[in-house]
């Protein structure tokens, strides 16, 4: 039976049909052997069978192929022995079967050797893959241990952070309470400061009113002093009495002003811790009072000087000398001549 190259498309279609009809692997390989040998005239080999079927391990097509050749040899021997043929034909048929058997056995041995080489290559590749997989497994195991240690450390850090967060929450609550207390205290302090400012403003208004009243009184006193001066120009006796009365009133006013000044200083001293602005106003008020006192002193000196000069000229011009002497005798020892 000559070897021929079969139609690969038709052969693949036949193999697919056999796969559908024979689900068992050994039966499928046996039918594939028969298909190649009897229909396509090709001596089947283990490698060729495995390439076509691709089921099971490489030992399966080898075993099936040996069984196929043994069965074929046995059937051929029976047919040759029991057929009604001459001996020459029986010998020729035996030689043909022997030749086919040798060729098939040689092809099977060659295919087996190729198969062994392929299996060895596959085994070496698989061993290298297994070694690589074991190395990968070792690395994965090491990485897993490292990740497990990192996870445990992270869990410890998370627990520490959770505890720190709880402590921070407690601290934040305490700080919020303290802030609320301080805010309430600040509001109370602002209210007290506002009340103090209101009281200070009212007291300042009172002091300003008192200062205005004192200034009004001072102006009235100045007017009265001027009137007294005018009157003293008319008459010396009346001027002296009025001057004395004016001096007494001025002294009384000065004492009142000093008393008021001391009262203002006491009040300003008690309010000094609330506002330092009042210090300048108190100094200005004190300077005003000193100016008033100096002005009163100046008015007294002017009144006294005017009273001594004007009557003297009047008496010298219109009175006799006796009257002048009598007036001089009636003067007080402290009066100026």
């Amino acid at each position: 039976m000559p070897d021929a190259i079969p139609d690969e498309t038709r052969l693949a279609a036949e193999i697919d049909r056999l796969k559908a009809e024979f689900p068992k692997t050994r039966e499928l390989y046996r039918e594939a052997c028969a298909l190649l040998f009897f229909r396509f005239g090709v001596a089947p080999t283990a490698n060729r069978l495995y390439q076509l079927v691709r089921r099971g391990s490489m030992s399966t097509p080898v075993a099936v192929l040996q069984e196929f050749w043994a069965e074929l040899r046995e059937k051929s021997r029976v047919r040759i022995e029991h057929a009604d043929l001459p001996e020459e034909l029986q010998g020729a048929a035996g030689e043909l079967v022997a030749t086919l058997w040798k060729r098939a056995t040689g092809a099977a041995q060659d295919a087996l050797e190729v198969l062994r080489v392929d299996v060895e290559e596959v085994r070496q590749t698989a061993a290298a893959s297994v070694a690589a997989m074991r190395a990968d497994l070792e690395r994965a195991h090491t990485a897993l241990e490292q990740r497990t240690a990192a996870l445990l450390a992270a869990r410890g850090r998370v627990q520490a952070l959770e505890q720190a967060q709880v402590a921070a929450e407690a601290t934040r609550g305490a700080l919020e309470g303290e802030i609320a207390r301080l805010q309430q205290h600040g509001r109370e302090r602002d209210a007290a400061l506002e009340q103090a400012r209101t009281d200070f403003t009212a007291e300042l208004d009172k002091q300003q009113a008192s200062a205005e009243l004192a200034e009004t009184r001072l102006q009235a006193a100045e007017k009265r002093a001027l009137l007294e001066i005018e009157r003293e120009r008319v008459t010396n006796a009346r001027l002296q009495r009025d001057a004395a009365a004016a001096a007494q009133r001025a002294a009384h006013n000065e004492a009142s002003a000093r008393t008021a000044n001391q009262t203002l200083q006491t009040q300003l001293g008690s309010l000094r811790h609330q506002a330092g602005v009042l210090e300048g106003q108190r100094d200005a008020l004190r300077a005003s009072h000193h100016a008033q006192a100096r002005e009163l002193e100046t008015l007294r000196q002017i009144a006294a000087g005017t009273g001594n000069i004007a009557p003297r000229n009047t008496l010298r011009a219109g009175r006799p000398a006796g009257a002048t002497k009598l007036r001089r005798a009636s003067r007080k020892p402290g009066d100026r001549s």
Side-chain angles (χ1 to χ4, degrees), residues 199-212 264 267:
D199 296 340
F200 173 74
T201 303
E203 188 64 26
L204 183 60
D205 293 338
K206 291 180 181 179
Q207 297 299 328
Q208 289 178 354
S210 298
E212 291 176 357
L264 289 175
Q267 293 176 353

Side-chain angles (χ1 to χ4, degrees), residues 87-141:
E87 267 191 48
E88 294 84 3
L89 293 177
Q90 291 181 1
E95 290 178 359
L96 178 61
V97 172
T99 302
L100 290 175
W101 172 253
K102 289 180 181 179
R103 290 183 179 180
T105 303
Q109 292 294 331
D110 295 337
L112 182 61
E113 187 64 26
V114 173
L115 182 61
R116 287 177 180 175
V117 173
D118 293 340
V119 168
E120 183 64 22
E121 291 179 357
V122 171
R123 188 187 65 78
Q124 293 177 358
T125 304
S129 299
V130 169
M133 291 178 64
R134 287 180 179 176
D136 293 338
L137 183 61
E138 290 293 332
R139 288 195 295 270
H141 184 68

Side-chain angles (χ1 to χ4, degrees), residues 1 8-9 13 25 35 138 224-225 232 258 266 268 278:
M1 196 179 295
E8 295 294 333
T9 304
T25 304
L35 178 69
E138 290 293 332
R224 287 195 298 270
E232 284 181 0
R258 288 178 180 176
T266 302
L268 289 175
L278 190 60

Side-chain angles (χ1 to χ4, degrees), residues 7-320:
D7 187 359
E8 295 294 333
T9 304
R10 190 162 61 88
L11 180 60
E14 292 294 334
I15 293 296
D16 292 336
R17 182 181 62 79
L18 291 177
K19 287 180 180 179
E21 292 180 2
F22 301 95
K24 293 183 179 181
T25 304
R26 294 182 68 86
E27 293 178 357
L28 178 61
Y29 274 112
R30 186 162 49 262
E31 293 298 327
C33 290
L35 178 69
L36 287 174
F37 186 78
F38 293 110
R39 183 175 296 182
F40 291 96
V42 178
T45 62
N47 191 21
R48 180 63 172 166
L49 291 173
Y50 186 78
Q51 289 178 354
L52 292 173
V53 178
R54 293 191 178 278
R55 284 188 183 179
S57 61
M58 290 296 296
S59 61
T60 303
V62 173
V64 171
L65 186 60
Q66 290 177 355
E67 293 177 357
F68 174 76
W69 289 120
E71 184 179 358
L72 181 63
R73 185 174 62 253
E74 184 67 24
K75 288 182 178 180
S76 297
R77 184 180 297 116
V78 171
R79 284 199 303 269
I80 291 171
E81 288 178 354
H82 293 281
D84 294 333
L85 293 175
E87 267 191 48
E88 294 84 3
L89 293 177
Q90 291 181 1
E95 290 178 359
L96 178 61
V97 172
T99 302
L100 290 175
W101 172 253
K102 289 180 181 179
R103 290 183 179 180
T105 303
Q109 292 294 331
D110 295 337
L112 182 61
E113 187 64 26
V114 173
L115 182 61
R116 287 177 180 175
V117 173
D118 293 340
V119 168
E120 183 64 22
E121 291 179 357
V122 171
R123 188 187 65 78
Q124 293 177 358
T125 304
S129 299
V130 169
M133 291 178 64
R134 287 180 179 176
D136 293 338
L137 183 61
E138 290 293 332
R139 288 195 295 270
H141 184 68
T142 304
L144 181 60
E145 290 180 351
Q146 293 176 355
R147 290 183 180 179
T148 303
L151 180 60
L152 293 177
R155 286 181 180 176
R157 289 195 296 272
V158 167
Q159 291 178 357
L161 289 175
E162 288 178 352
Q163 294 176 359
Q165 184 178 6
V166 172
E169 289 292 334
T171 304
R172 185 175 65 84
L175 289 176
E176 288 179 353
E178 184 66 18
I179 289 172
R181 187 183 66 80
L182 290 176
Q183 289 177 350
Q184 181 64 26
H185 180 68
R187 287 192 292 269
E188 294 176 355
R189 184 182 59 186
D190 293 338
L193 181 59
E194 186 66 26
Q195 184 63 34
R197 287 178 180 174
T198 303
D199 296 340
F200 173 74
T201 303
E203 188 64 26
L204 183 60
D205 293 338
K206 291 180 181 179
Q207 297 299 328
Q208 289 178 354
S210 298
E212 291 176 357
L213 181 59
E215 185 178 359
T216 302
R217 291 178 179 177
L218 180 60
Q219 292 176 359
E222 289 177 354
K223 291 179 181 180
R224 287 195 298 270
L226 291 174
L227 291 176
E228 292 297 334
I229 291 172
E230 292 296 330
R231 290 175 184 176
E232 284 181 0
R233 289 178 181 177
V234 178
T235 174
N236 187 23
R238 187 177 178 182
L239 182 59
Q240 288 181 351
R241 290 193 300 270
D242 292 339
Q248 291 178 359
R249 287 193 297 272
H252 179 70
N253 291 333
E254 184 177 0
S256 299
R258 288 178 180 176
T259 302
N261 189 17
Q262 292 177 356
T263 303
L264 289 175
Q265 289 179 358
T266 302
Q267 293 176 353
L268 289 175
S270 62
L271 295 174
R272 187 176 296 170
H273 68 283
Q274 297 180 0
V277 181
L278 190 60
E279 183 68 24
Q281 296 179 356
R282 184 181 63 80
D283 293 337
L285 185 60
R286 183 184 295 172
S288 176
H289 282 298
H290 285 306
Q292 292 176 4
R294 287 195 299 272
E295 190 174 357
L296 287 176
E297 185 65 26
T298 302
L299 290 176
R300 284 201 304 272
Q301 292 176 1
I302 292 173
T306 305
N308 290 332
I309 294 173
R312 182 187 300 172
N313 294 332
T314 305
L315 290 175
R316 287 180 181 178
R319 290 186 181 181

